[in-house]
């Protein structure tokens, strides 16, 4: 299973969006992929958990974490294999680790934690919580957005991950993100 959670080797630049629920990650990741005409790695957990909700009316369980991580890395590795120089990732295993710890009293599967810390990205875009909350079947903690934002920020700092904060409306976020990505592409 460890190999299924490992990134394939590539010279491709990997940019990952990270942040709490409903903070604009998917919108910004789609716009960035369009702007750079590059592959977008969608959030595997969203479809997996929506299917779980639609079929069983259940939310994420501890037993779902490793299949979600495996599915995420399969998508990412396929995108990287087909990319020329840049891939935009809507999420990563570090996000799965953070949500595991937040929802399961600090617990995270050991293998997920190991691979979340081993896999690397050239840049994380940490999305701020200045976007309107959009309710759906999966989002459940609108009152804890600030707490979750701080958890994401602390985790990036703790593990010395390269990141910038993106906030404001989409055009402002695009300027901030593209300026940083452009420096990586030079």
């Amino acid at each position: 299973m460890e190999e299924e959670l490992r990134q394939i080797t590539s010279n491709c630049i990997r940019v990952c969006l990270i942040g709490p629920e409903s903070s604009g990650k998917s919108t910004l990741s789609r716009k960035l992929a369009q702007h750079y005409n590059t592959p977008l790695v969608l959030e595997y957990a969203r479809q997996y958990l929506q299917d779980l909700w639609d079929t069983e009316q259940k939310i994420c369980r501890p037993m779902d974490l490793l299949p979600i991580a495996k599915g995420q890395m399969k998508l990412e590795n396929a995108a990287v294999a087909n990319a020329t120089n840049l891939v935009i990732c809507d999420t990563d295993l570090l996000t799965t680790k953070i949500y595991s710890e937040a929802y399961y009293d600090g617990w995270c599967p050991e293998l997920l934690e190991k691979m979340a810390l081993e896999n690397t990205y050239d840049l994380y875009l940490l999305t701020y919580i200045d976007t309107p909350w959009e309710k759906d079947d999966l989002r459940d903690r609108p009152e804890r957005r600030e707490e979750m934002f701080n958890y994401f920020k602390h985790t990036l700092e703790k593990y010395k991950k390269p990141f910038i904060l993106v906030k404001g409306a989409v055009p402002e976020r695009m300027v901030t993100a593209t300026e940083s990505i452009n420096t990586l592409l030079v």
Side-chain angles (χ1 to χ4, degrees):
M1 167 79 78
E2 185 171 313
E3 282 306 309
E4 295 174 301
L5 300 182
R6 179 170 281 125
Q7 291 172 320
I8 63 169
T9 302
S10 170
N11 291 327
C12 187
I13 293 168
R14 297 176 205 235
V15 175
C16 181
L17 284 84
I18 193 167
E21 297 177 317
S22 196
S23 62
K25 293 181 302 296
S26 295
T27 299
L28 184 57
S29 64
R30 282 191 303 273
K31 295 228 178 254
L32 288 168
Q34 287 175 334
H35 176 82
Y36 289 104
N37 191 29
T38 197
L40 168 62
V41 180
L42 297 173
E43 181 183 10
Y44 182 80
R46 177 148 285 281
Q47 189 59 53
Y48 180 100
L49 295 173
Q50 187 66 57
D51 290 346
L52 182 63
W53 178 258
D54 291 345
T55 58
E56 301 178 42
Q57 307 295 261
K58 292 188 177 173
I59 59 171
C60 189
R61 306 157 297 190
M63 65 189 258
D64 296 315
L65 295 170
L66 288 175
I68 287 170
K70 180 181 170 184
Q72 189 63 46
M73 288 315 302
K74 185 176 181 180
L75 292 176
E76 182 179 321
N77 286 335
V80 168
N82 293 310
T84 53
N85 64 343
L86 174 68
V87 169
I88 305 294
C89 301
D90 190 345
T91 191
D92 72 334
L93 299 189
L94 189 59
T95 297
T96 308
K97 169 187 163 20
I98 289 169
Y99 276 111
S100 176
E101 292 169 351
Y103 278 71
Y104 305 116
D105 298 319
W107 178 82
C108 178
E110 188 176 311
L111 180 58
L112 172 57
E113 180 168 14
K114 176 183 190 292
M115 298 315 295
L117 298 178
E118 278 185 22
N119 289 344
T120 60
Y121 296 83
D122 297 280
L123 179 65
Y124 280 94
L125 302 175
L126 174 60
T127 52
Y128 192 60
I129 53 173
D130 56 353
T131 56
W133 174 265
E134 292 184 20
K135 183 174 177 29
D136 67 18
D137 292 338
L138 305 177
R139 295 176 178 149
D140 65 347
R141 295 183 176 189
E143 73 289 347
R144 296 182 69 185
R145 290 176 86 193
E146 185 171 1
E147 174 188 341
M148 287 304 297
F149 172 81
N150 290 331
Y151 197 165
F152 276 97
K153 186 173 186 281
H154 171 75
T155 300
L156 291 167
E157 291 169 343
K158 176 180 178 181
Y159 295 110
K160 298 179 179 16
K161 302 291 185 181
F163 78 95
I164 61 162
L165 176 64
V166 291
K167 58 184 181 176
V170 173
E172 183 181 349
R173 288 173 178 227
M174 280 294 290
V175 167
T176 303
T178 56
E179 285 176 354
S180 292
I181 293 169
N182 289 345
T183 63
L184 295 173
L185 292 171
V186 178

